[in-house]
Short mmCIF file of all heavy atoms in Angstrom, two decimals:
data_model
loop_
_atom_site.label_atom_id
_atom_site.label_comp_id
_atom_site.label_asym_id
_atom_site.label_seq_id
_atom_site.Cartn_x
_atom_site.Cartn_y
_atom_site.Cartn_z
N VAL A 418 159.01 161.91 203.45
CA VAL A 418 158.03 162.75 202.78
C VAL A 418 157.64 162.09 201.46
O VAL A 418 158.49 161.58 200.74
CB VAL A 418 158.63 164.15 202.50
CG1 VAL A 418 157.71 164.98 201.61
CG2 VAL A 418 158.91 164.88 203.80
N GLY A 419 156.36 162.07 201.19
CA GLY A 419 155.88 161.54 199.92
C GLY A 419 155.58 160.06 199.91
O GLY A 419 155.02 159.54 198.95
N THR A 420 155.92 159.35 200.99
CA THR A 420 155.63 157.91 201.04
C THR A 420 154.13 157.71 201.09
O THR A 420 153.44 158.32 201.89
CB THR A 420 156.27 157.27 202.30
OG1 THR A 420 157.66 157.50 202.28
CG2 THR A 420 155.98 155.79 202.37
N ASP A 421 153.61 156.86 200.21
CA ASP A 421 152.18 156.56 200.28
C ASP A 421 151.90 155.07 200.25
O ASP A 421 150.77 154.64 200.38
CB ASP A 421 151.39 157.29 199.19
CG ASP A 421 151.97 157.11 197.80
OD1 ASP A 421 152.92 156.35 197.64
OD2 ASP A 421 151.46 157.75 196.87
N ALA A 422 152.95 154.27 200.11
CA ALA A 422 152.78 152.82 200.12
C ALA A 422 153.30 152.26 201.45
O ALA A 422 154.27 152.77 202.02
CB ALA A 422 153.55 152.19 198.97
N VAL A 423 152.62 151.26 201.94
CA VAL A 423 153.05 150.60 203.18
C VAL A 423 154.40 149.92 202.91
O VAL A 423 154.53 149.16 201.95
CB VAL A 423 152.00 149.57 203.64
CG1 VAL A 423 152.49 148.81 204.87
CG2 VAL A 423 150.66 150.24 203.91
N PRO A 424 155.41 150.18 203.75
CA PRO A 424 156.71 149.53 203.52
C PRO A 424 156.63 148.04 203.85
O PRO A 424 155.71 147.59 204.54
CB PRO A 424 157.64 150.26 204.49
CG PRO A 424 156.74 150.79 205.55
CD PRO A 424 155.42 151.06 204.91
N TYR A 425 157.64 147.31 203.37
CA TYR A 425 157.68 145.86 203.63
C TYR A 425 158.10 145.63 205.07
O TYR A 425 159.13 146.09 205.52
CB TYR A 425 158.67 145.20 202.67
CG TYR A 425 158.84 143.73 202.95
CD1 TYR A 425 157.83 142.82 202.66
CD2 TYR A 425 160.01 143.25 203.54
CE1 TYR A 425 157.98 141.47 202.92
CE2 TYR A 425 160.17 141.89 203.81
CZ TYR A 425 159.15 141.02 203.50
OH TYR A 425 159.29 139.69 203.77
N LEU A 426 157.26 144.91 205.81
CA LEU A 426 157.52 144.62 207.22
C LEU A 426 157.77 143.12 207.36
O LEU A 426 157.05 142.31 206.79
CB LEU A 426 156.33 145.05 208.07
CG LEU A 426 156.53 144.94 209.58
CD1 LEU A 426 155.94 146.15 210.27
CD2 LEU A 426 155.91 143.68 210.11
N SER A 427 158.80 142.78 208.13
CA SER A 427 159.09 141.37 208.42
C SER A 427 159.44 141.27 209.91
O SER A 427 159.59 142.28 210.59
CB SER A 427 160.23 140.85 207.54
OG SER A 427 161.39 141.64 207.71
N TYR A 428 159.57 140.07 210.38
CA TYR A 428 159.88 139.84 211.80
C TYR A 428 160.76 138.61 211.92
O TYR A 428 160.81 137.76 211.03
CB TYR A 428 158.60 139.68 212.63
CG TYR A 428 157.69 138.60 212.09
CD1 TYR A 428 157.88 137.26 212.43
CD2 TYR A 428 156.66 138.93 211.22
CE1 TYR A 428 157.06 136.28 211.91
CE2 TYR A 428 155.84 137.95 210.70
CZ TYR A 428 156.05 136.63 211.05
OH TYR A 428 155.24 135.65 210.53
N THR A 429 161.44 138.54 213.05
CA THR A 429 162.28 137.37 213.35
C THR A 429 161.83 136.82 214.69
O THR A 429 161.81 137.55 215.69
CB THR A 429 163.77 137.76 213.40
OG1 THR A 429 164.12 138.37 212.16
CG2 THR A 429 164.64 136.55 213.65
N LYS A 430 161.45 135.54 214.69
CA LYS A 430 161.01 134.91 215.94
C LYS A 430 162.21 134.73 216.88
O LYS A 430 163.33 134.51 216.42
CB LYS A 430 160.37 133.55 215.65
CG LYS A 430 159.11 133.63 214.81
CD LYS A 430 158.37 132.31 214.76
CE LYS A 430 158.87 131.42 213.66
NZ LYS A 430 158.05 130.19 213.54
N ALA A 431 161.93 134.81 218.17
CA ALA A 431 162.98 134.58 219.17
C ALA A 431 163.25 133.07 219.32
O ALA A 431 164.37 132.68 219.64
CB ALA A 431 162.59 135.18 220.51
N GLU A 432 162.23 132.26 219.08
CA GLU A 432 162.37 130.81 219.18
C GLU A 432 161.63 130.17 218.02
O GLU A 432 160.53 130.61 217.66
CB GLU A 432 161.81 130.31 220.52
CG GLU A 432 162.56 130.88 221.71
CD GLU A 432 161.97 130.47 223.05
OE1 GLU A 432 160.88 129.85 223.08
OE2 GLU A 432 162.59 130.79 224.07
N GLU A 433 162.20 129.16 217.45
CA GLU A 433 161.64 128.56 216.24
C GLU A 433 160.25 127.96 216.43
O GLU A 433 159.48 127.84 215.48
CB GLU A 433 162.59 127.50 215.67
CG GLU A 433 162.77 126.30 216.58
CD GLU A 433 163.74 125.29 215.99
OE1 GLU A 433 164.95 125.55 216.02
OE2 GLU A 433 163.24 124.25 215.50
N TRP A 434 159.87 127.55 217.64
CA TRP A 434 158.58 126.90 217.86
C TRP A 434 157.46 127.90 218.17
O TRP A 434 156.34 127.50 218.39
CB TRP A 434 158.66 125.85 218.98
CG TRP A 434 159.51 126.28 220.13
CD1 TRP A 434 159.16 127.08 221.16
CD2 TRP A 434 160.88 125.98 220.33
NE1 TRP A 434 160.19 127.30 222.00
CE2 TRP A 434 161.30 126.62 221.51
CE3 TRP A 434 161.81 125.22 219.64
CZ2 TRP A 434 162.58 126.54 222.01
CZ3 TRP A 434 163.08 125.14 220.15
CH2 TRP A 434 163.46 125.80 221.32
N GLN A 435 157.77 129.21 218.14
CA GLN A 435 156.71 130.21 218.29
C GLN A 435 155.82 130.19 217.04
O GLN A 435 156.27 129.86 215.95
CB GLN A 435 157.30 131.61 218.44
CG GLN A 435 158.04 131.84 219.75
CD GLN A 435 158.75 133.19 219.77
OE1 GLN A 435 159.27 133.66 218.76
NE2 GLN A 435 158.78 133.80 220.94
N THR A 436 154.56 130.56 217.24
CA THR A 436 153.62 130.72 216.14
C THR A 436 153.30 132.20 216.02
O THR A 436 153.09 132.88 217.04
CB THR A 436 152.32 129.93 216.39
OG1 THR A 436 152.67 128.56 216.64
CG2 THR A 436 151.38 130.01 215.21
N VAL A 437 153.24 132.71 214.79
CA VAL A 437 153.00 134.14 214.59
C VAL A 437 151.84 134.34 213.62
O VAL A 437 151.76 133.68 212.58
CB VAL A 437 154.26 134.84 214.02
CG1 VAL A 437 154.00 136.31 213.77
CG2 VAL A 437 155.45 134.65 214.96
N GLU A 438 150.93 135.25 214.00
CA GLU A 438 149.86 135.69 213.11
C GLU A 438 150.14 137.14 212.76
O GLU A 438 150.21 137.99 213.65
CB GLU A 438 148.49 135.59 213.80
CG GLU A 438 148.03 134.17 214.03
CD GLU A 438 146.69 134.12 214.77
OE1 GLU A 438 146.12 135.20 215.09
OE2 GLU A 438 146.24 133.00 215.05
N TYR A 439 150.30 137.41 211.47
CA TYR A 439 150.63 138.77 211.04
C TYR A 439 149.48 139.34 210.22
O TYR A 439 149.04 138.73 209.25
CB TYR A 439 151.91 138.75 210.19
CG TYR A 439 152.24 140.07 209.53
CD1 TYR A 439 152.23 141.27 210.26
CD2 TYR A 439 152.55 140.14 208.19
CE1 TYR A 439 152.54 142.47 209.65
CE2 TYR A 439 152.86 141.33 207.58
CZ TYR A 439 152.85 142.50 208.30
OH TYR A 439 153.15 143.71 207.70
N THR A 440 148.98 140.51 210.64
CA THR A 440 147.94 141.22 209.89
C THR A 440 148.59 142.42 209.23
O THR A 440 148.98 143.38 209.90
CB THR A 440 146.79 141.67 210.82
OG1 THR A 440 146.30 140.53 211.53
CG2 THR A 440 145.68 142.32 210.03
N GLU A 441 148.73 142.31 207.91
CA GLU A 441 149.40 143.37 207.14
C GLU A 441 148.44 144.54 206.91
O GLU A 441 147.28 144.34 206.55
CB GLU A 441 149.86 142.80 205.80
CG GLU A 441 150.67 143.77 205.00
CD GLU A 441 151.23 143.13 203.74
OE1 GLU A 441 151.01 141.93 203.50
OE2 GLU A 441 151.89 143.85 203.00
N PRO A 442 148.90 145.77 207.13
CA PRO A 442 148.03 146.92 206.88
C PRO A 442 147.83 147.14 205.38
O PRO A 442 148.71 146.82 204.58
CB PRO A 442 148.80 148.09 207.49
CG PRO A 442 150.23 147.65 207.50
CD PRO A 442 150.21 146.16 207.62
N THR A 443 146.67 147.68 205.02
CA THR A 443 146.41 147.96 203.61
C THR A 443 146.68 149.43 203.28
O THR A 443 146.68 149.81 202.11
CB THR A 443 144.95 147.62 203.24
OG1 THR A 443 144.08 148.37 204.09
CG2 THR A 443 144.69 146.13 203.42
N SER A 444 146.89 150.26 204.32
CA SER A 444 147.22 151.68 204.11
C SER A 444 148.08 152.15 205.28
O SER A 444 148.19 151.47 206.30
CB SER A 444 145.95 152.52 204.01
OG SER A 444 145.38 152.68 205.30
N LEU A 445 148.68 153.33 205.11
CA LEU A 445 149.51 153.88 206.18
C LEU A 445 148.71 154.25 207.43
O LEU A 445 149.26 154.41 208.50
CB LEU A 445 150.26 155.12 205.67
CG LEU A 445 151.29 154.87 204.58
CD1 LEU A 445 151.91 156.18 204.13
CD2 LEU A 445 152.36 153.90 205.03
N ALA A 446 147.40 154.37 207.28
CA ALA A 446 146.55 154.74 208.42
C ALA A 446 146.30 153.55 209.36
O ALA A 446 145.86 153.74 210.48
CB ALA A 446 145.22 155.30 207.92
N GLU A 447 146.58 152.35 208.90
CA GLU A 447 146.34 151.16 209.71
C GLU A 447 147.64 150.65 210.33
O GLU A 447 148.69 150.77 209.71
CB GLU A 447 145.76 150.03 208.84
CG GLU A 447 144.45 150.36 208.18
CD GLU A 447 144.03 149.26 207.20
OE1 GLU A 447 144.69 148.21 207.13
OE2 GLU A 447 143.04 149.48 206.49
N PRO A 448 147.57 150.06 211.53
CA PRO A 448 148.79 149.48 212.10
C PRO A 448 149.06 148.08 211.54
O PRO A 448 148.14 147.39 211.11
CB PRO A 448 148.46 149.39 213.60
CG PRO A 448 146.98 149.18 213.63
CD PRO A 448 146.44 149.97 212.46
N ALA A 449 150.32 147.72 211.56
CA ALA A 449 150.69 146.32 211.31
C ALA A 449 150.53 145.62 212.67
O ALA A 449 150.95 146.15 213.70
CB ALA A 449 152.12 146.24 210.82
N VAL A 450 149.91 144.46 212.68
CA VAL A 450 149.65 143.74 213.93
C VAL A 450 150.33 142.37 213.85
O VAL A 450 150.06 141.59 212.93
CB VAL A 450 148.13 143.57 214.18
CG1 VAL A 450 147.88 142.85 215.49
CG2 VAL A 450 147.44 144.94 214.17
N ILE A 451 151.21 142.13 214.82
CA ILE A 451 151.94 140.86 214.86
C ILE A 451 151.63 140.20 216.20
O ILE A 451 152.05 140.69 217.25
CB ILE A 451 153.46 141.08 214.71
CG1 ILE A 451 153.76 141.90 213.46
CG2 ILE A 451 154.19 139.75 214.69
CD1 ILE A 451 155.18 142.43 213.40
N LYS A 452 150.91 139.07 216.16
CA LYS A 452 150.55 138.36 217.38
C LYS A 452 151.44 137.13 217.49
O LYS A 452 151.50 136.31 216.57
CB LYS A 452 149.07 137.97 217.35
CG LYS A 452 148.57 137.46 218.68
CD LYS A 452 147.05 137.35 218.67
CE LYS A 452 146.56 137.01 220.05
NZ LYS A 452 145.11 136.98 220.14
N VAL A 453 152.14 137.01 218.63
CA VAL A 453 153.11 135.93 218.84
C VAL A 453 152.59 134.99 219.92
O VAL A 453 152.23 135.44 221.02
CB VAL A 453 154.49 136.50 219.26
CG1 VAL A 453 155.50 135.38 219.42
CG2 VAL A 453 154.98 137.54 218.25
N PHE A 454 152.57 133.70 219.61
CA PHE A 454 152.14 132.68 220.56
C PHE A 454 153.37 131.88 220.98
O PHE A 454 154.15 131.42 220.15
CB PHE A 454 151.13 131.71 219.92
CG PHE A 454 149.85 132.38 219.48
CD1 PHE A 454 149.76 132.97 218.23
CD2 PHE A 454 148.76 132.40 220.32
CE1 PHE A 454 148.58 133.58 217.83
CE2 PHE A 454 147.58 133.01 219.93
CZ PHE A 454 147.48 133.61 218.67
N ALA A 455 153.54 131.74 222.30
CA ALA A 455 154.64 130.92 222.83
C ALA A 455 154.38 129.45 222.51
O ALA A 455 153.27 129.06 222.14
CB ALA A 455 154.75 131.12 224.34
N GLN A 456 155.41 128.64 222.68
CA GLN A 456 155.29 127.21 222.38
C GLN A 456 154.17 126.56 223.18
O GLN A 456 153.43 125.73 222.66
CB GLN A 456 156.62 126.50 222.67
CG GLN A 456 156.59 125.02 222.34
CD GLN A 456 157.87 124.30 222.71
OE1 GLN A 456 158.65 124.79 223.53
NE2 GLN A 456 158.10 123.14 222.11
N ASP A 457 153.99 127.01 224.45
CA ASP A 457 152.95 126.38 225.26
C ASP A 457 151.55 126.89 224.93
O ASP A 457 150.56 126.44 225.47
CB ASP A 457 153.26 126.57 226.76
CG ASP A 457 153.00 127.98 227.25
OD1 ASP A 457 152.66 128.87 226.43
OD2 ASP A 457 153.12 128.20 228.47
N ASN A 458 151.46 127.88 224.02
CA ASN A 458 150.20 128.43 223.51
C ASN A 458 149.36 129.17 224.54
O ASN A 458 148.28 129.65 224.23
CB ASN A 458 149.36 127.36 222.82
CG ASN A 458 148.98 127.77 221.42
OD1 ASN A 458 149.51 128.76 220.91
ND2 ASN A 458 148.07 127.04 220.81
N SER A 459 149.80 129.26 225.79
CA SER A 459 149.02 130.01 226.78
C SER A 459 149.56 131.44 226.93
O SER A 459 148.88 132.29 227.48
CB SER A 459 149.04 129.30 228.14
OG SER A 459 150.37 129.26 228.64
N TYR A 460 150.75 131.71 226.42
CA TYR A 460 151.33 133.04 226.49
C TYR A 460 151.33 133.66 225.09
O TYR A 460 151.76 133.01 224.12
CB TYR A 460 152.78 133.00 227.03
CG TYR A 460 152.83 132.69 228.49
CD1 TYR A 460 152.88 131.35 228.93
CD2 TYR A 460 152.82 133.69 229.43
CE1 TYR A 460 152.93 131.04 230.28
CE2 TYR A 460 152.86 133.39 230.79
CZ TYR A 460 152.91 132.07 231.21
OH TYR A 460 152.95 131.78 232.54
N THR A 461 150.82 134.90 225.02
CA THR A 461 150.82 135.62 223.75
C THR A 461 151.21 137.08 223.99
O THR A 461 150.97 137.63 225.07
CB THR A 461 149.45 135.60 223.05
OG1 THR A 461 148.52 136.31 223.87
CG2 THR A 461 148.97 134.20 222.79
#
């Protein structure tokens, strides 16, 4: 109750060669979006 700031979000990759694009929300109404690309870049 009373939270109005977006909390700090972090992630841990399953494999070091993954690439991650993180879109941080600017308000609680927006989702945090984390897009993960596999090493072969064809799987996301």
Side-chain angles (χ1 to χ4, degrees):
V418 171
T420 302
D421 50 5
V423 176
Y425 176 71
L426 186 139
S427 57
Y428 54 85
T429 303
K430 297 191 273 186
E432 298 176 353
E433 65 181 75
W434 40 82
Q435 291 173 324
T436 305
V437 178
E438 290 178 1
Y439 172 49
T440 305
E441 186 174 359
T443 58
S444 75
L445 295 178
E447 299 173 6
V450 181
I451 306 167
K452 190 169 187 176
V453 182
F454 297 86
Q456 182 184 19
D457 75 355
N458 234 11
S459 64
Y460 288 88
T461 65

